[in-house]
Amino acid sequence: MFLAHTFNRCLFTLVLLVCFALPVQAQDSDFNRVEIRILPDSVVYGKNYLLGDIAELDGFDMDLIQKLAQTKIGRSPLPGRSLVISKSMIKSRLRREFKNNKIDIIIPRKALVSRASILVKKEQIAELVLQEIKKKYEQFDHAKFKIKTRLKDQYIPKGTVSYTVSRLGASKKIGGNSTWTLDLKSDEKSAKKIFVTVKIDVVEEVVVANGEITKGESIKQKDLVKIKKNISGKRWGYQSEPDLVVGQTAKRHIFKNEELKNSIVEKPKVLEKGAPVKLVYRSENLYLTNMAIALKSGRVGDMIPVKTMKSKKTIFATIVDDKHVEVAL
C-alpha cells in the first residue's frame, strides 16, 4: 500500500515536470524565431541596401532583429532603376551569420527595390549648358548655339541638386565645335557627368572693300562697306576697326569684299625725303623752332633724321604733320 502510494506521488511529480517543461521549450523556441516579411515595393537611398530597408521583422529577440535589420543585402540599383529581390538571394546573405537562428522569410511573388532619384529631363540639360555658354558670349550680338549631342533624360540620387558647366579643353577660335561638361551634383557630390558638344556660330558686322583697292592708294569712306560675316574661325580678341582704316593706304592690292584689317593697311606718308620742315624744340618752359630738311620719308609718329639748314647738324625728330617735326627736351 505504501509502495503504491509512493509510486503514484512520483508519477504525479513527473507529469507536472513534463507539463511545465513543455511550455518553457515552446517559449524558448518562439524567442529565437524571427519572421521576415519582404515588402512588395521598397525605395532605398544609398549605394547599398540593408534588410531593414526592404522588410518588416517580427520576433522577441530585439538584439537579433536589430542585427538582421543592419545586414547588407546588396548594391542598390542605379537611380531611376528597379531590381527584383529573390528569396534565395536573401537566404544566401543570411546563411553564414544567422545559420543557427530560426528565420522565416515571407516574400511576395514579385518584390522590387528601387533607388530614390531625381529626374533631370534632356530639355533641362540643354538649358543648363546653353545658359552657361551664353554668358561667355555676351559681347557678341549675333551668336548662335546648336547642340550636336543626342541628349537623354538622366536620373541622379535624391538630394540637394547643384551643377557646374565647364569647357573641355581650350580653343583659340571664337566659335566652331566645342565640348562642354555638365557635372550634376547631389548633396555637393558628383552624381553624373554629361558631355555635350555644341556648335557655335558668331556673326558680326565687318568692314570690307566695296571694290578693288590698289596698293598705295589712300582709302576713303566710299571704298568701304559693312557686311555681316561669320567670324567663328577668328581668334579670341578679334575686333573689326573701321575707323582706323579710312585715310590709310593699302599695303598691297585689296580685293572686292576682302575684310579690311590693320595688317593690310598703313598710315599714309605725309613727309617726303628732301622736304623742308619746321623743327620744334619743346619743353615745359621752352619752345624753339628752326628750319630743317627731312633726310627720310615718313608717316605721322615716325622718328626720322633731319638736318638743320644753318648749322647742318643731323637731329632725330618725330613727325607731327607734313610741315612739322618735334624734338622733346
Side-chain angles (χ1 to χ4, degrees):
M1 185 75 178
F2 175 76
L3 289 173
H5 179 68
T6 303
F7 176 76
N8 287 335
R9 287 183 64 186
C10 290
L11 183 62
F12 178 72
T13 303
L14 183 61
V15 170
L16 287 174
L17 288 171
V18 170
C19 289
F20 280 111
L22 284 174
V24 170
Q25 281 184 340
Q27 287 175 6
D28 286 344
S29 176
D30 288 342
F31 185 78
N32 291 323
R33 186 179 295 277
V34 176
E35 184 178 271
I36 299 173
R37 295 189 297 276
I38 305 299
L39 301 171
D41 287 295
S42 306
V43 178
V44 294
Y45 291 84
K47 290 183 179 179
N48 303 304
Y49 65 95
L50 310 177
L51 184 60
D53 296 328
I54 62 169
E56 294 176 341
L57 291 82
D58 280 341
F60 294 103
D61 190 342
M62 296 309 296
D63 289 337
L64 176 59
I65 287 176
Q66 277 191 334
K67 199 171 182 182
L68 281 164
Q70 294 300 313
T71 302
K72 175 184 169 182
I73 299 301
R75 287 185 65 82
S76 301
L78 292 172
R81 303 284 180 87
S82 297
L83 189 68
V84 178
I85 308 168
S86 66
K87 191 173 184 177
S88 60
M89 180 182 73
I90 296 171
K91 278 185 174 180
S92 68
R93 300 292 190 274
L94 303 180
R95 186 178 295 123
R96 182 179 298 176
E97 195 170 350
F98 302 98
K99 61 182 179 181
N100 296 324
N101 299 99
K102 296 179 180 180
I103 298 172
D104 296 326
I105 301 173
I106 302 169
I107 188 167
R109 188 172 181 181
K110 187 177 181 180
L112 294 175
V113 58
S114 304
R115 181 85 170 269
S117 61
I118 296 173
L119 171 63
V120 183
K121 301 283 286 181
K122 60 185 179 183
E123 293 81 8
Q124 291 175 293
I125 294 170
E127 185 181 349
L128 293 176
V129 173
L130 291 178
Q131 182 178 285
E132 199 63 30
I133 294 175
K134 286 176 182 177
K135 290 179 185 176
K136 300 183 183 298
Y137 283 82
E138 286 179 344
Q139 68 189 86
F140 300 104
D141 296 327
H142 307 285
K144 294 181 179 179
F145 312 94
K146 184 178 180 181
I147 292 178
K148 307 288 284 184
T149 305
R150 190 175 179 180
L151 299 175
K152 297 179 181 178
D153 296 346
Q154 301 289 342
Y155 291 89
I156 62 173
K158 204 163 188 179
T160 302
V161 180
S162 59
Y163 70 94
T164 56
V165 177
S166 57
R167 185 168 184 163
L168 192 65
S171 175
K172 294 180 180 179
K173 292 183 179 179
I174 295 173
N177 290 328
S178 55
T179 302
W180 301 74
T181 305
L182 172 63
D183 188 2
L184 292 171
K185 299 178 182 180
S186 178
D187 293 332
E188 299 300 322
K189 294 181 181 177
S190 181
K192 193 80 176 180
K193 285 189 177 181
I194 305 164
F195 298 96
V196 183
T197 300
V198 182
K199 185 183 179 184
I200 303 170
D201 285 314
V202 181
V203 176
E204 287 289 292
E205 279 193 339
V206 300
V207 177
V208 299
N210 197 22
E212 292 190 2
I213 301 173
T214 308
K215 179 181 178 182
E217 183 182 340
S218 178
I219 299 171
K220 303 174 182 63
Q221 188 67 52
K222 65 178 183 178
D223 297 325
L224 309 175
V225 63
K226 285 184 178 180
I227 64 168
K228 287 185 177 179
K229 185 177 179 182
N230 193 320
I231 61 167
S232 302
K234 303 289 183 183
R235 288 173 173 261
W236 281 101
Y238 166 83
Q239 189 176 3
S240 181
E241 300 175 324
D243 294 338
L244 300 181
V245 175
V246 176
Q248 298 190 50
T249 56
K251 282 185 178 180
R252 59 167 174 79
H253 186 83
I254 299 174
F255 298 95
K256 183 177 180 179
N257 292 330
E258 183 178 355
E259 184 182 348
L260 272 294
K261 45 194 175 183
N262 288 332
S263 60
I264 62 172
V265 296
E266 60 185 358
K267 294 176 183 178
K269 290 181 180 179
V270 295
L271 196 59
E272 295 295 332
K273 181 179 178 181
V277 291
K278 183 179 282 189
L279 177 61
V280 177
Y281 300 87
R282 186 192 298 273
S283 68
E284 277 189 34
N285 303 313
L286 184 66
Y287 182 87
L288 299 174
T289 62
N290 198 355
M291 294 305 294
I293 299 294
L295 299 180
K296 187 177 179 182
S297 301
R299 301 170 177 84
V300 173
D302 288 350
M303 183 175 284
I304 62 167
V306 296
K307 182 181 285 187
T308 59
M309 290 185 177
K310 287 185 178 180
S311 61
K312 306 298 182 184
K313 289 184 178 179
T314 300
I315 299 170
F316 282 87
T318 302
I319 298 175
V320 177
D321 54 37
D322 61 342
K323 294 179 180 178
H324 298 81
V325 294
E326 184 177 301
V327 176
L329 298 176

